[in-house]
Amino acid sequence: MKKNKMKMLRKIFFKKRIPAILFFFILLNNVNGQTAMINFQSRNLASLNGDWNVIIDPTGIGEWRQVWLEKKPQKKTDFFEYSFEGGPVLKVPGDFNSQMRELAYFEGTVWYKKQFHYTVKKDKRLFLYFGAVNYMADVFLNGEKIGSHEGGFTPFQFEITDKVKDGVNAVIVKVNNTRQENGLPGLGYDWFNYGGITRDVALIETGNTFIEDYYIQLKKGSLNTVLGRVQLNGREAEQKVEIKIPELNLLYKTRTNEQGVAKLEFSSNFERWSPENPKLYKIIIKSETDSVWDDIGFRSIEVQGDKVLLNGKPIFLKAVNIHEENPYKAARAYSKEDAALLLNAAKELGCNLVRLVHYPHSENMIKEAEKMGLMVWSELPVYQHIQFADSSVPSKMEGMLNEMIRRDKNRCGIIVWSLSNETYPSTTNRDKALVELTKKCKVLDSSRLIVHVTNSQRYANNTFEMADTLYKYSDLVSINEYIGWYIPWQGKPSDTKWKLAYPDKPVFISEFGGEALYGSNYGPADEAAYWTEGYQEKIYIDQLEMFNTIPNLSGVCPWLLFDYRSSGRMHPVYQKGYNRKGLLSERGDKKKAWYIIKKYFGKK
Ligand code: GCU
């Protein structure tokens, strides 16, 4: 998008000789969403959730009509072929596809409008915060464009202190979920492309200098020393800062420097967070002009040789893949209730880890998982066919990485940053881009495991050969394999052989499984074409057999918890637009394979 816009602007500029100043004014106006302040829920906020007026714009003509100006007739001959008044209303947060039948499969532009009242105060700043908008968001305030954001799964904000009016204001958001070839994800992905303002929207009022960011987690490899920082935003950069943990009677004092940054290092006899004991401490971060509180846990996670260690002890990762979809509503999940629904099922299955695929899920999901004692695997939508040769892609990846880690770095529940999924084949562009991304991730946060998920293995003569170039940059050898479904067994599962290029690294089966339509008995259970539970169950039985042959196996993660929507799954009887590899149907029915895994996790 940005590249075409630039090409168009350059053409106008050079052809029509538009004055340079105007050119730069347009550039300035194309401001990217700012990286959001963290922990918005504990801020002084006014929610803009609720009903928003919308204009559905299948042709995209709204851009040409300049919908954001909301022109009104001035004289008798005037008329304008759009208006927010009298049109449909959509709920925010929420995807638009599940809210209106005519939008069921819609990929295009929907214009959203919300009015709010504000009293301007001279010593206050104001921010417009979005939890997530899928995919492209162009944001306008009172008819003026304030910026854009690309990417459907991470937060962004705009400072509107100098733009907001005393009294009634109107926010208009042009939301477009059209797939982008050089997007993240790209054109093809096996999940439903829910569009809309899918997470919270809020006005956040702060003082002139506020606590923008902080990082309070254990130092890598330590069990009781915190190494962190606090970042202030505003003119009064140098301030006293206190970190208070009342339950531990801990009060740590420090100062920010002229950049508003304070480094933190303090120790305490923390009760460490673990699935058995998901201990969180209420922490107050206080400066002279602001204070925020958070519930933070402390745990160490690392790889030592072929083992994954949590708090210094080896742990087997009993995981399941989860898409951010409320199966009962067939809608994008976002609320605490949605999170509890999905996570309770994972708990019931016996999991200690949830792989949240293939994009950062909502803060509600991460925080609920942490409270429930579920470790979290958070992943970027660098999924399968990514245009690594496109010069805009690396900065998009980096932008999403920054936003993901910034929002969630204080969540001790998160143990893995997963930077890509199935980006095979290995090309120079791919490897260069992903190696760079890995380095950036390490700079941002080296206290967690960093992983690239692969499916590049060779499986011949009942032997797996693992040699992806990305393993070198990955803390786990993470494999997606669908032996028994997409690929038939080539021998007894219990005789499977393994050739690992990195025999000293832990191996994690990040995806395996097969499809079944709950209750399907349209044909013999030993034939795939009838989507029977018996066929899926057999796949699981065989996979568990094979798991006993894997050296350094540190965990397994069935694909996946619930059947979920994916438009490419088109069999009219067995799939109906659903990927049916769930252990649970979209109504929560337990398939036979569910009991196989539950028993397996129960023994582990
Ligand atoms: C892939 C991929 C998933 C996909 C699954 C499947 O491995 O990572 O996103 O849904 O296979 O084919 O069902």
Side-chain angles (χ1 to χ4, degrees):
M1 175 87 114
K2 232 179 248 118
K3 217 161 39 181
N4 310 344
K5 193 165 234 165
M6 294 311 289
K7 221 180 324 167
M8 181 264 284
L9 287 168
R10 255 197 304 281
K11 217 166 48 242
I12 297 171
F13 170 62
F14 291 110
K15 273 231 191 62
K16 301 234 173 39
R17 298 268 166 272
I18 292 187
I21 184 67
L22 178 58
F23 179 62
F24 285 105
F25 170 78
I26 295 169
L27 260 187
L28 274 179
N29 228 343
N30 213 4
V31 175
N32 260 340
Q34 295 143 7
T35 318
M37 66 184 80
I38 70 165
N39 191 6
F40 88 99
Q41 282 145 336
S42 91
R43 306 284 177 171
N44 174 16
L45 65 84
S47 173
L48 292 181
N49 291 351
D51 292 346
W52 287 53
N53 297 87
V54 298
I55 297 174
I56 298 162
D57 183 3
T59 66
I61 196 166
E63 186 74 31
W64 182 77
R65 291 199 194 290
Q66 299 178 309
V67 156
W68 59 90
L69 297 176
E70 294 194 83
K71 292 187 191 131
K72 297 282 181 284
Q74 303 304 319
K75 51 188 190 301
K76 289 192 187 305
T77 54
D78 279 353
F79 61 88
F80 296 98
E81 300 181 82
Y82 67 85
S83 169
F84 284 100
E85 283 65 47
V89 168
L90 287 176
K91 289 252 175 282
V92 166
D95 68 273
F96 52 57
N97 305 86
S98 63
Q99 293 190 54
M100 289 173 76
R101 277 191 66 70
E102 54 270 49
L103 295 178
Y105 292 97
F106 187 75
E107 295 195 4
T109 297
V110 174
W111 299 82
Y112 285 74
K113 176 188 171 184
K114 183 79 171 176
Q115 284 190 296
F116 65 88
H117 190 281
Y118 184 68
T119 308
V120 173
K121 307 169 195 80
K122 70 173 185 33
D123 59 350
K124 293 293 182 193
R125 297 168 67 184
L126 191 67
F127 296 84
L128 178 57
Y129 174 97
F130 294 88
V133 174
N134 192 46
Y135 178 73
M136 279 301 290
D138 294 311
V139 182
F140 304 81
L141 181 69
N142 303 329
E144 184 202 334
K145 182 160 184 186
I146 57 175
S148 304
H149 182 267
E150 176 167 352
F153 305 101
T154 44
F156 57 97
Q157 69 183 31
F158 300 99
E159 175 154 16
I160 57 173
T161 310
D162 310 331
K163 297 189 173 67
V164 71
K165 286 187 302 186
D166 212 33
V168 178
N169 294 266
V171 178
I172 290 176
V173 185
K174 175 188 174 189
V175 178
N176 185 299
N177 70 332
T178 307
R179 305 158 185 258
Q180 306 288 326
E181 189 166 13
N182 62 3
L184 298 172
L187 294 178
Y189 43 89
D190 188 20
W191 65 85
F192 192 87
N193 180 21
Y194 290 109
I197 303 180
T198 52
R199 295 181 190 154
D200 298 297
V201 184
L203 293 169
I204 302 177
E205 190 180 72
T206 71
N208 287 325
T209 302
F210 65 95
I211 297 170
E212 180 183 55
D213 189 18
Y214 53 85
Y215 180 45
I216 304 175
Q217 284 284 282
L218 290 182
K219 185 157 74 175
K220 191 166 181 62
S222 167
L223 291 177
N224 47 34
T225 300
V226 164
L227 187 63
R229 66 184 186 283
V230 171
Q231 168 81 62
L232 300 182
N233 176 322
R235 285 192 297 271
E236 299 134 272
E238 295 184 57
Q239 295 192 11
K240 288 196 211 91
V241 163
E242 290 178 354
I243 308 295
K244 253 198 210 133
I245 310 183
E247 196 182 332
L248 292 170
N249 209 2
L250 185 147
L251 174 59
Y252 174 79
K253 296 188 175 186
T254 180
R255 284 193 69 80
T256 48
N257 61 20
E258 61 279 3
Q259 278 84 43
V261 177
K263 293 224 171 328
L264 315 174
E265 182 148 8
F266 59 87
S267 301
S268 182
N269 189 12
F270 298 110
E271 208 182 310
R272 279 175 288 281
W273 182 97
S274 69
E276 300 73 34
N277 174 32
K279 173 67 186 169
L280 300 175
Y281 290 93
K282 186 163 289 312
I283 298 195
I284 298 122
I285 301 104
K286 203 169 170 310
S287 75
E288 291 165 46
T289 57
D290 193 13
S291 75
V292 287
W293 63 268
D294 203 343
D295 293 324
I296 294 183
F298 300 97
R299 55 92 192 97
S300 86
I301 185 77
E302 58 194 313
V303 161
Q304 229 168 54
D306 61 9
K307 296 271 178 305
V308 174
L309 305 187
L310 177 72
N311 298 328
K313 298 199 192 69
I315 187 163
F316 186 84
L317 305 174
K318 302 186 278 187
V320 73
N321 286 283
I322 302 180
H323 260 297
E324 192 177 43
E325 181 175 284
N326 178 322
Y328 306 139
K329 294 183 187 159
R332 179 63 82 206
Y334 66 84
S335 66
K336 287 198 176 93
E337 297 71 30
D338 294 336
L341 181 166
L342 296 166
L343 298 170
N344 284 331
K347 269 280 199 189
E348 191 190 346
L349 185 61
C351 295
N352 59 15
L353 170 74
V354 286
R355 178 180 173 219
L356 303 182
V357 291
H358 295 285
Y359 36 79
H361 287 210
S362 75
E363 231 173 326
N364 290 328
M365 189 71 167
I366 312 280
K367 286 186 173 176
E368 287 308 301
E370 191 175 69
K371 284 196 196 114
M372 293 165 76
L374 283 166
M375 294 178 283
V376 171
W377 171 302
S378 189
E379 187 160 300
L380 289 178
V382 178
Y383 177 92
Q384 297 187 348
H385 319 296
I386 298 295
Q387 299 295 315
F388 291 108
D390 182 302
S391 59
S392 70
V393 165
S395 62
K396 287 180 193 177
M397 292 197 297
E398 190 181 347
M400 282 183 195
L401 178 74
N402 279 330
E403 291 171 352
M404 172 175 80
I405 294 183
R406 181 171 169 107
R407 187 195 75 179
D408 294 336
K409 60 186 175 299
N410 292 301
R411 305 276 74 78
C412 69
I414 296 187
I415 63 162
V416 172
W417 299 124
S418 175
L419 305 185
S420 70
N421 178 75
E422 299 190 350
T423 53
Y424 187 72
S426 151
T427 63
T428 319
N429 287 319
R430 177 201 81 158
D431 291 7
K432 184 165 168 295
L434 292 182
V435 171
E436 266 316 298
L437 190 68
T438 311
K439 287 189 189 135
K440 293 198 171 107
C441 187
K442 281 207 164 74
V443 171
L444 290 170
D445 175 34
S446 60
S447 73
R448 292 175 171 87
L449 310 188
I450 297 174
V451 172
H452 291 277
V453 179
T454 65
N455 66 333
S456 52
Q457 60 274 7
R458 255 169 50 74
Y459 176 64
N461 312 321
N462 209 20
T463 302
F464 277 90
E465 223 172 305
M466 325 290 312
D468 198 299
T469 44
L470 290 175
Y471 290 146
K472 183 170 170 209
Y473 307 96
S474 199
D475 292 320
L476 302 175
V477 171
S478 179
I479 318 167
N480 295 353
E481 50 84 13
Y482 284 91
I483 311 301
W485 182 248
Y486 293 129
I487 299 166
W489 292 98
Q490 292 169 1
K492 277 178 62 190
S494 53
D495 296 343
T496 307
K497 302 277 176 296
W498 295 82
K499 287 193 191 139
L500 298 174
Y502 288 82
D504 55 354
K505 286 194 177 188
V507 172
F508 180 73
I509 303 295
S510 34
E511 291 180 32
F512 67 98
E515 306 221 348
L517 172 65
Y518 177 74
S520 159
N521 49 18
Y522 292 92
D526 64 349
E527 292 184 27
Y530 300 101
W531 265 260
T532 63
E533 290 179 54
Y535 195 91
Q536 184 192 44
E537 181 188 31
K538 181 77 173 65
I539 293 172
Y540 275 76
I541 292 168
D542 292 342
Q543 285 278 340
L544 267 52
E545 274 295 313
M546 178 184 74
F547 293 161
N548 300 329
T549 70
I550 305 179
N552 324 341
L553 184 64
S554 65
V556 300
C557 189
W559 186 268
L560 74 165
L561 189 58
F562 281 97
D563 289 355
Y564 71 99
R565 298 184 62 196
S566 180
S567 311
R569 308 290 176 171
M570 303 183 291
H571 193 287
V573 176
Y574 303 119
Q575 294 179 311
K576 296 194 184 88
Y578 274 79
N579 182 313
R580 295 268 177 221
K581 295 189 182 71
L583 294 166
L584 299 166
S585 75
E586 73 275 24
R587 289 177 308 284
D589 310 304
K590 293 184 172 72
K591 301 177 190 177
K592 289 182 176 163
W594 163 277
Y595 301 99
I596 303 292
I597 281 291
K598 184 169 172 63
K599 193 157 151 246
Y600 177 74
F601 282 167
K603 272 190 279 160
K604 278 285 177 192

